[in-house]
Coordinates of all heavy atoms in Angstrom, one line a residue:
M1 N 180.3 65.4 140.8 CA 179.7 64.3 141.5 C 178.9 63.4 140.5 O 178.2 63.9 139.7 CB 178.7 64.8 142.6 CG 178.5 63.8 143.7 SD 177.5 64.6 145.0 CE 178.8 64.7 146.3
T2 N 179.0 62.1 140.6 CA 178.3 61.3 139.7 C 176.9 60.9 140.2 O 176.7 60.9 141.4 CB 179.1 60.0 139.4 OG1 179.2 59.2 140.7 CG2 180.5 60.3 139.0
G3 N 176.1 60.5 139.2 CA 174.7 60.1 139.6 C 174.7 59.0 140.5 O 173.7 58.8 141.3
A4 N 175.7 58.1 140.5 CA 175.7 56.9 141.3 C 175.9 57.2 142.8 O 175.5 56.5 143.7 CB 176.8 55.9 140.9
T5 N 176.4 58.4 143.1 CA 176.7 58.8 144.5 C 175.6 59.7 145.1 O 175.7 60.1 146.2 CB 178.1 59.4 144.7 OG1 178.1 60.6 143.9 CG2 179.2 58.4 144.3
L6 N 174.7 60.1 144.2 CA 173.7 61.1 144.7 C 172.4 60.3 145.1 O 172.1 59.3 144.6 CB 173.3 62.0 143.5 CG 174.4 63.0 143.0 CD1 173.9 63.8 141.9 CD2 174.9 63.9 144.2
D7 N 171.7 61.0 146.0 CA 170.3 60.4 146.4 C 169.4 60.7 145.2 O 169.7 61.5 144.3 CB 169.8 61.1 147.6 CG 169.6 62.6 147.4 OD1 168.5 63.0 147.0 OD2 170.5 63.4 147.6
P8 N 168.3 60.0 145.1 CA 167.4 60.1 144.0 C 166.9 61.5 143.7 O 166.8 61.9 142.5 CB 166.2 59.2 144.4 CG 166.7 58.2 145.3 CD 167.8 59.0 146.1
D9 N 166.6 62.3 144.7 CA 166.2 63.7 144.5 C 167.3 64.5 143.8 O 167.0 65.2 142.9 CB 165.8 64.3 145.8 CG 164.5 63.8 146.4 OD1 163.8 63.1 145.7 OD2 164.2 64.1 147.6
S10 N 168.5 64.4 144.3 CA 169.6 65.1 143.7 C 169.8 64.7 142.3 O 170.1 65.5 141.4 CB 170.9 64.9 144.5 OG 170.7 65.5 145.8
R11 N 169.7 63.4 142.0 CA 169.9 62.9 140.6 C 168.8 63.5 139.7 O 169.1 63.9 138.6 CB 169.8 61.4 140.6 CG 171.1 60.7 140.9 CD 171.1 59.2 140.5 NE 169.9 58.5 140.9 CZ 169.8 57.8 142.1 NH1 170.9 57.8 142.9 NH2 168.8 57.1 142.4
D12 N 167.6 63.5 140.2 CA 166.5 64.1 139.4 C 166.7 65.5 139.2 O 166.4 66.1 138.1 CB 165.1 63.7 140.0 CG 164.7 62.3 139.8 OD1 165.3 61.6 138.9 OD2 163.8 61.8 140.5
I13 N 167.1 66.3 140.2 CA 167.3 67.7 140.0 C 168.4 68.0 139.0 O 168.3 68.8 138.1 CB 167.6 68.4 141.4 CG1 166.4 68.4 142.2 CG2 168.2 69.8 141.2 CD1 166.6 68.7 143.7
E14 N 169.5 67.2 139.1 CA 170.6 67.4 138.1 C 170.1 67.1 136.7 O 170.5 67.7 135.7 CB 171.8 66.5 138.5 CG 172.6 67.1 139.6 CD 174.0 66.4 139.8 OE1 174.3 65.5 139.0 OE2 174.7 66.9 140.7
A15 N 169.3 66.0 136.6 CA 168.7 65.7 135.3 C 167.9 66.8 134.7 O 167.9 67.2 133.5 CB 167.9 64.4 135.3
C16 N 167.1 67.4 135.6 CA 166.2 68.6 135.2 C 167.1 69.7 134.7 O 166.8 70.3 133.7 CB 165.4 69.0 136.3 SG 164.0 68.0 136.8
L17 N 168.2 69.9 135.4 CA 169.1 71.0 135.0 C 169.8 70.7 133.7 O 170.2 71.7 133.0 CB 170.1 71.3 136.1 CG 169.6 71.7 137.4 CD1 170.7 71.9 138.5 CD2 168.8 73.0 137.3
R18 N 169.9 69.5 133.3 CA 170.4 69.1 132.0 C 169.4 69.2 130.9 O 169.6 68.8 129.8 CB 171.0 67.7 132.0 CG 172.3 67.6 132.8 CD 173.0 66.3 132.6 NE 172.1 65.1 132.9 CZ 172.0 64.5 134.1 NH1 172.7 64.9 135.1 NH2 171.2 63.5 134.2
G19 N 168.2 69.5 131.3 CA 167.1 69.6 130.3 C 166.2 68.4 130.2 O 165.3 68.4 129.3
E20 N 166.4 67.5 131.1 CA 165.5 66.3 131.1 C 164.3 66.5 132.0 O 164.3 66.1 133.2 CB 166.4 65.1 131.6 CG 167.6 64.8 130.7 CD 168.5 63.8 131.4 OE1 168.0 62.9 132.2 OE2 169.7 63.8 131.1
G21 N 163.3 67.3 131.5 CA 162.2 67.7 132.3 C 161.4 66.5 132.9 O 160.8 66.7 134.0
Q22 N 161.4 65.4 132.3 CA 160.6 64.2 132.8 C 161.2 63.8 134.2 O 160.5 63.1 134.9 CB 160.5 63.1 131.8 CG 159.6 63.4 130.7 CD 158.2 63.7 131.2 OE1 157.7 63.0 132.1 NE2 157.5 64.6 130.6
A23 N 162.5 64.1 134.5 CA 163.1 63.7 135.7 C 162.3 64.4 136.9 O 162.3 63.8 138.0 CB 164.5 64.1 135.8
F24 N 161.7 65.5 136.6 CA 160.9 66.1 137.7 C 159.7 65.2 138.1 O 159.3 65.3 139.3 CB 160.4 67.5 137.2 CG 159.8 68.4 138.3 CD1 160.7 69.0 139.1 CD2 158.4 68.5 138.5 CE1 160.2 69.8 140.1 CE2 157.9 69.3 139.5 CZ 158.8 70.0 140.3
A25 N 159.3 64.4 137.2 CA 158.2 63.5 137.6 C 158.6 62.5 138.7 O 157.8 62.2 139.6 CB 157.8 62.7 136.4
G26 N 159.9 62.2 138.8 CA 160.4 61.3 139.8 C 160.3 62.0 141.2 O 159.9 61.4 142.2
L27 N 160.6 63.3 141.2 CA 160.4 64.1 142.4 C 159.0 64.2 142.9 O 158.6 64.0 144.0 CB 161.0 65.5 142.2 CG 162.5 65.6 142.1 CD1 162.8 67.0 141.5 CD2 163.2 65.4 143.4
V28 N 158.1 64.4 141.9 CA 156.7 64.5 142.2 C 156.2 63.2 142.8 O 155.5 63.1 143.8 CB 155.9 64.9 141.0 CG1 154.4 64.8 141.2 CG2 156.2 66.3 140.5
L29 N 156.5 62.1 142.1 CA 156.1 60.8 142.5 C 156.6 60.4 143.9 O 155.8 59.8 144.7 CB 156.5 59.7 141.5 CG 155.7 59.7 140.2 CD1 156.4 58.7 139.2 CD2 154.3 59.4 140.4
R30 N 157.8 60.8 144.2 CA 158.3 60.5 145.6 C 157.7 61.3 146.7 O 157.6 60.9 147.8 CB 159.8 60.6 145.6 CG 160.6 59.4 145.1 CD 162.1 59.5 145.4 NE 162.7 60.6 144.8 CZ 163.0 60.6 143.5 NH1 162.7 59.6 142.7 NH2 163.6 61.7 142.9
H31 N 157.3 62.5 146.4 CA 156.9 63.5 147.4 C 155.4 63.9 147.4 O 155.0 64.5 148.4 CB 157.8 64.7 147.4 CG 159.2 64.4 147.6 ND1 159.7 64.1 148.8 CD2 160.3 64.3 146.7 CE1 161.0 63.8 148.7 NE2 161.4 64.0 147.5
Q32 N 154.7 63.5 146.4 CA 153.3 64.0 146.4 C 152.4 63.5 147.5 O 151.6 64.2 148.0 CB 152.7 63.8 145.0 CG 152.4 62.4 144.6 CD 151.8 62.2 143.2 OE1 151.6 63.2 142.5 NE2 151.6 61.0 142.8
Q33 N 152.6 62.2 147.8 CA 151.7 61.6 148.8 C 152.0 62.3 150.2 O 151.0 62.6 150.9 CB 152.0 60.1 148.9 CG 151.0 59.4 149.8 CD 151.2 57.9 149.8 OE1 152.2 57.4 149.4 NE2 150.2 57.2 150.3
G34 N 153.2 62.4 150.6 CA 153.5 63.1 151.9 C 153.1 64.6 151.8 O 152.5 65.1 152.8
A35 N 153.3 65.2 150.7 CA 152.9 66.6 150.6 C 151.4 66.7 150.7 O 150.8 67.6 151.4 CB 153.4 67.2 149.3
M36 N 150.7 65.8 150.1 CA 149.2 65.8 150.1 C 148.7 65.6 151.5 O 147.8 66.2 152.0 CB 148.6 64.8 149.1 CG 147.1 64.8 149.0 SD 146.5 66.4 148.4 CE 144.8 66.2 148.7
R37 N 149.3 64.6 152.2 CA 148.9 64.3 153.6 C 149.1 65.6 154.5 O 148.2 65.9 155.3 CB 149.7 63.2 154.2 CG 149.1 61.8 153.9 CD 149.7 60.7 154.8 NE 151.2 60.7 154.7 CZ 151.9 59.9 153.9 NH1 151.2 59.0 153.2 NH2 153.2 59.9 153.9
L38 N 150.2 66.2 154.4 CA 150.5 67.4 155.2 C 149.5 68.5 154.8 O 148.9 69.1 155.7 CB 151.9 67.9 155.0 CG 152.3 69.2 155.7 CD1 152.1 69.0 157.2 CD2 153.7 69.6 155.3
A39 N 149.3 68.8 153.6 CA 148.4 69.9 153.1 C 147.0 69.6 153.6 O 146.3 70.5 154.1 CB 148.5 70.0 151.6
W40 N 146.5 68.3 153.5 CA 145.2 68.0 153.9 C 145.0 68.2 155.4 O 144.0 68.7 155.9 CB 144.8 66.6 153.4 CG 143.4 66.3 153.4 CD1 142.3 67.0 153.9 CD2 142.7 65.1 152.8 NE1 141.1 66.4 153.7 CE2 141.4 65.2 153.0 CE3 143.2 64.0 152.2 CZ2 140.5 64.3 152.6 CZ3 142.3 63.0 151.7 CH2 141.0 63.2 151.9
H41 N 146.0 67.8 156.1 CA 146.0 67.9 157.6 C 145.9 69.4 158.0 O 145.2 69.8 158.8 CB 147.2 67.3 158.2 CG 147.4 67.5 159.7 ND1 146.6 66.8 160.6 CD2 148.2 68.3 160.4 CE1 146.9 67.3 161.8 NE2 147.9 68.2 161.7
L42 N 146.7 70.2 157.3 CA 146.8 71.6 157.6 C 145.5 72.4 157.1 O 145.0 73.3 157.8 CB 148.0 72.3 157.0 CG 149.3 71.8 157.6 CD1 150.5 72.4 156.8 CD2 149.4 72.2 159.1
L43 N 145.0 72.0 156.0 CA 143.9 72.8 155.4 C 142.5 72.2 155.6 O 141.5 72.9 155.6 CB 144.1 72.9 153.9 CG 145.4 73.7 153.5 CD1 145.7 73.6 152.0 CD2 145.4 75.1 154.0
G44 N 142.5 70.8 155.9 CA 141.2 70.2 156.2 C 140.2 70.1 155.0 O 139.1 69.8 155.3
H45 N 140.7 70.3 153.8 CA 139.8 70.3 152.7 C 140.6 69.8 151.5 O 141.6 70.4 151.1 CB 139.3 71.8 152.4 CG 138.2 71.9 151.4 ND1 138.5 72.5 150.2 CD2 137.0 71.5 151.4 CE1 137.4 72.5 149.5 NE2 136.4 71.8 150.2
R46 N 140.1 68.7 150.9 CA 140.9 68.0 149.9 C 141.2 68.9 148.7 O 142.3 69.0 148.2 CB 140.2 66.7 149.4 CG 141.1 65.9 148.4 CD 140.4 64.6 148.0 NE 141.2 64.0 147.0 CZ 142.1 63.1 147.3 NH1 142.4 62.7 148.5 NH2 142.8 62.5 146.3
P47 N 140.2 69.6 148.1 CA 140.5 70.4 146.9 C 141.5 71.5 147.2 O 142.4 71.8 146.4 CB 139.1 71.0 146.5 CG 138.1 70.0 147.0 CD 138.7 69.5 148.3
A48 N 141.4 72.1 148.4 CA 142.4 73.1 148.8 C 143.8 72.5 149.0 O 144.8 73.1 148.6 CB 142.0 73.8 150.1
A49 N 143.8 71.3 149.5 CA 145.1 70.6 149.7 C 145.7 70.3 148.3 O 146.9 70.5 148.1 CB 144.9 69.4 150.5
E50 N 144.9 69.8 147.4 CA 145.4 69.5 146.0 C 146.0 70.8 145.4 O 147.0 70.7 144.7 CB 144.3 68.9 145.2 CG 143.9 67.5 145.6 CD 142.6 67.0 144.9 OE1 141.9 67.9 144.3 OE2 142.4 65.8 145.0
D51 N 145.3 71.9 145.5 CA 145.7 73.1 144.9 C 147.1 73.6 145.6 O 148.0 74.0 144.9 CB 144.7 74.3 145.1 CG 143.5 74.1 144.2 OD1 143.5 73.3 143.3 OD2 142.5 74.8 144.5
A52 N 147.2 73.4 146.9 CA 148.4 73.8 147.6 C 149.6 73.0 147.2 O 150.7 73.5 146.9 CB 148.2 73.7 149.1
V53 N 149.3 71.7 147.0 CA 150.4 70.7 146.6 C 150.8 71.0 145.2 O 152.0 71.1 144.9 CB 150.0 69.3 146.8 CG1 151.0 68.3 146.1 CG2 149.9 69.0 148.3
Q54 N 149.9 71.3 144.3 CA 150.2 71.6 142.9 C 151.0 72.9 142.9 O 152.0 73.0 142.2 CB 149.0 71.7 142.1 CG 149.3 72.1 140.6 CD 148.1 72.4 139.8 OE1 147.0 72.4 140.2 NE2 148.4 72.7 138.5
A55 N 150.6 73.9 143.6 CA 151.3 75.2 143.6 C 152.7 75.0 144.2 O 153.7 75.6 143.7 CB 150.5 76.2 144.5
A56 N 152.9 74.1 145.2 CA 154.2 73.9 145.7 C 155.1 73.3 144.7 O 156.3 73.7 144.5 CB 154.1 73.0 147.0
F57 N 154.6 72.3 144.0 CA 155.5 71.6 142.9 C 155.8 72.6 141.8 O 156.9 72.6 141.3 CB 154.8 70.3 142.4 CG 155.0 69.2 143.3 CD1 153.9 68.5 143.8 CD2 156.2 68.7 143.7 CE1 154.0 67.4 144.7 CE2 156.4 67.6 144.5 CZ 155.3 67.0 145.0
L58 N 154.8 73.4 141.5 CA 155.0 74.4 140.4 C 156.1 75.4 140.8 O 157.0 75.8 140.0 CB 153.7 75.1 140.0 CG 153.8 76.0 138.8 CD1 154.3 75.3 137.6 CD2 152.4 76.6 138.6
R59 N 156.0 75.9 142.1 CA 157.1 76.8 142.6 C 158.4 76.1 142.6 O 159.4 76.7 142.2 CB 156.7 77.3 144.0 CG 155.7 78.4 144.0 CD 155.6 79.0 145.4 NE 155.3 78.1 146.5 CZ 154.1 77.7 146.8 NH1 153.0 78.1 146.2 NH2 153.9 76.8 147.8
A60 N 158.5 74.8 142.9 CA 159.8 74.1 142.9 C 160.3 74.0 141.5 O 161.5 74.2 141.3 CB 159.6 72.7 143.5
W61 N 159.4 73.7 140.5 CA 159.8 73.7 139.1 C 160.4 75.0 138.7 O 161.5 75.1 138.1 CB 158.7 73.2 138.3 CG 158.9 73.3 136.8 CD1 158.5 74.2 135.9 CD2 159.7 72.4 136.1 NE1 159.0 74.0 134.7 CE2 159.7 72.8 134.7 CE3 160.4 71.2 136.4 CZ2 160.4 72.1 133.7 CZ3 161.1 70.5 135.4 CH2 161.1 71.0 134.1
R62 N 159.7 76.1 139.0 CA 160.1 77.4 138.5 C 161.4 77.9 139.2 O 162.1 78.7 138.7 CB 159.0 78.4 138.8 CG 157.8 78.2 137.8 CD 156.7 79.2 138.0 NE 155.7 79.0 137.0 CZ 154.5 79.4 137.1 NH1 154.1 80.1 138.2 NH2 153.6 79.3 136.2
A63 N 161.7 77.3 140.4 CA 162.8 77.7 141.2 C 164.1 77.1 140.6 O 165.2 77.5 141.0 CB 162.7 77.4 142.6
L64 N 164.0 76.1 139.7 CA 165.2 75.5 139.2 C 165.9 76.5 138.4 O 165.3 77.3 137.7 CB 164.8 74.3 138.3 CG 164.3 73.1 138.9 CD1 163.7 72.1 137.9 CD2 165.3 72.4 139.8
P65 N 167.3 76.5 138.5 CA 168.0 77.5 137.7 C 167.9 77.3 136.2 O 167.7 76.2 135.8 CB 169.5 77.3 138.2 CG 169.4 76.3 139.3 CD 168.1 75.7 139.3
G66 N 168.1 78.3 135.5 CA 168.1 78.2 134.0 C 166.9 78.9 133.4 O 166.0 79.3 134.1
P67 N 166.9 79.1 132.1 CA 165.8 79.8 131.5 C 164.6 79.0 131.4 O 164.5 77.9 130.8 CB 166.4 80.1 130.1 CG 167.4 79.0 129.9 CD 168.0 78.7 131.2
E68 N 163.6 79.4 132.1 CA 162.3 78.7 132.2 C 161.6 78.5 130.9 O 161.0 77.5 130.6 CB 161.3 79.4 133.2 CG 160.1 78.6 133.5 CD 159.2 79.3 134.5 OE1 159.7 80.1 135.3 OE2 158.0 79.1 134.4
A69 N 161.8 79.4 130.0 CA 161.2 79.3 128.7 C 161.7 78.1 127.9 O 161.0 77.6 127.0 CB 161.5 80.6 127.9
T70 N 162.8 77.6 128.2 CA 163.3 76.4 127.5 C 163.0 75.1 128.1 O 163.3 74.1 127.6 CB 164.9 76.5 127.3 OG1 165.5 76.4 128.6 CG2 165.3 77.8 126.6
R71 N 162.3 75.2 129.3 CA 162.0 74.0 130.0 C 160.5 73.7 129.8 O 159.7 74.6 130.0 CB 162.3 74.1 131.5 CG 163.7 74.0 131.8 CD 164.0 73.9 133.3 NE 164.1 75.3 133.8 CZ 163.3 75.8 134.8 NH1 162.4 75.0 135.4 NH2 163.4 77.0 135.2
Q72 N 160.1 72.5 129.6 CA 158.7 72.1 129.5 C 158.3 71.5 130.9 O 159.0 70.6 131.4 CB 158.5 71.1 128.4 CG 158.7 71.6 127.0 CD 157.6 72.5 126.6 OE1 156.5 72.3 126.9 NE2 158.0 73.5 125.8
L73 N 157.2 72.0 131.4 CA 156.7 71.4 132.7 C 156.3 69.9 132.4 O 155.4 69.7 131.5 CB 155.6 72.2 133.3 CG 155.0 71.7 134.6 CD1 156.1 71.8 135.7 CD2 153.9 72.6 135.0
P74 N 156.8 69.0 133.1 CA 156.4 67.6 132.8 C 154.9 67.4 133.0 O 154.2 68.0 133.9 CB 157.1 66.8 133.9 CG 158.2 67.6 134.3 CD 157.8 69.0 134.2
E75 N 154.3 66.6 132.1 CA 152.8 66.4 132.1 C 152.3 65.9 133.4 O 151.3 66.3 133.9 CB 152.5 65.5 131.0 CG 151.0 65.3 130.9 CD 150.6 64.4 129.7 OE1 151.3 64.4 128.7 OE2 149.6 63.7 129.8
L76 N 153.1 65.0 134.1 CA 152.6 64.4 135.3 C 152.4 65.5 136.4 O 151.4 65.4 137.2 CB 153.7 63.4 135.8 CG 153.4 62.8 137.2 CD1 152.2 61.9 137.1 CD2 154.6 62.0 137.7
A77 N 153.2 66.5 136.4 CA 153.1 67.5 137.5 C 152.0 68.5 137.2 O 151.6 69.3 138.1 CB 154.4 68.3 137.6
S78 N 151.4 68.5 136.0 CA 150.4 69.5 135.7 C 149.1 68.9 135.3 O 148.1 69.6 135.1 CB 150.9 70.3 134.5 OG 151.1 69.5 133.4
Q79 N 148.9 67.6 135.3 CA 147.7 67.0 134.9 C 146.7 66.9 136.0 O 147.0 66.8 137.1 CB 147.9 65.6 134.2 CG 148.4 64.6 135.2 CD 148.7 63.3 134.4 OE1 148.8 63.2 133.2 NE2 148.9 62.2 135.2
D80 N 145.4 66.9 135.6 CA 144.3 66.7 136.6 C 144.2 67.6 137.8 O 143.8 67.2 138.8 CB 144.3 65.2 137.0 CG 144.1 64.3 135.9 OD1 143.3 64.6 135.0 OD2 144.7 63.2 136.0
H81 N 144.7 68.8 137.6 CA 144.6 69.8 138.7 C 144.2 71.1 138.2 O 144.4 71.5 137.1 CB 146.0 70.0 139.4 CG 146.5 68.7 140.1 ND1 146.0 68.3 141.3 CD2 147.4 67.8 139.7 CE1 146.6 67.2 141.7 NE2 147.5 66.9 140.7
R82 N 143.5 71.8 139.1 CA 143.1 73.2 138.8 C 144.3 74.1 138.8 O 145.4 73.8 139.3 CB 142.1 73.7 139.8 CG 140.8 72.9 139.8 CD 139.9 73.4 140.9 NE 140.3 72.8 142.2 CZ 140.2 71.6 142.6 NH1 139.6 70.7 141.7 NH2 140.5 71.2 143.7
E83 N 144.2 75.3 138.1 CA 145.3 76.2 138.1 C 145.6 76.7 139.5 O 144.7 77.0 140.3 CB 144.8 77.4 137.2 CG 145.9 78.5 137.0 CD 147.0 77.9 136.2 OE1 146.8 77.0 135.4 OE2 148.1 78.5 136.3
P84 N 146.9 76.7 139.9 CA 147.2 77.0 141.3 C 147.1 78.5 141.5 O 147.2 79.3 140.6 CB 148.7 76.6 141.4 CG 149.2 76.7 140.0 CD 148.0 76.3 139.1
V85 N 146.9 78.9 142.7 CA 146.8 80.3 143.1 C 148.3 80.7 143.4 O 149.0 80.0 144.1 CB 146.0 80.4 144.4 CG1 146.1 81.9 144.9 CG2 144.6 79.9 144.2
P86 N 148.7 81.8 142.7 CA 150.2 82.2 142.9 C 150.5 82.5 144.3 O 149.7 82.9 145.1 CB 150.3 83.3 142.0 CG 149.0 83.6 141.4 CD 148.0 82.6 141.9

């Protein structure tokens, strides 16, 4: 399947699988606001919601197939947040 026929999330995931770690930033940018709204609604506490969203994106990154040791976590997904609770 070509990138032209895929939705933006699928294109970014395929790019990540090719070793283009910065493509993960596109996923984060598209989904972080909605994820934060949901987490804040469920948890009622902004710092806890930020931690939950960061942990969710980190789990998504780690769930990508391939050797994790060869992938660098994009800076955007890891900046300005506390260490997530596993």
Side-chain angles (χ1 to χ4, degrees):
M1 202 172 250
T2 66
T5 61
L6 296 176
D7 64 89
D9 290 345
S10 296
R11 276 195 310 269
D12 286 342
I13 290 169
E14 283 195 357
C16 287
L17 296 176
R18 289 190 306 269
E20 300 170 27
Q22 285 302 319
F24 193 76
L27 291 165
V28 171
L29 288 173
R30 273 192 300 284
H31 296 287
Q32 69 182 357
Q33 188 176 16
M36 184 62 190
R37 273 195 304 263
L38 177 62
W40 198 348
H41 174 76
L42 292 173
L43 300 172
H45 187 249
R46 184 179 178 94
E50 290 170 345
D51 288 346
V53 169
Q54 179 188 2
F57 282 122
L58 186 56
R59 280 191 304 275
W61 173 257
R62 288 180 175 160
L64 290 171
E68 187 176 330
T70 63
R71 286 187 274 125
Q72 295 286 328
L73 183 62
E75 185 177 324
L76 176 68
S78 62
Q79 68 186 9
D80 297 324
H81 291 287
R82 291 176 285 286
E83 185 66 26
V85 177

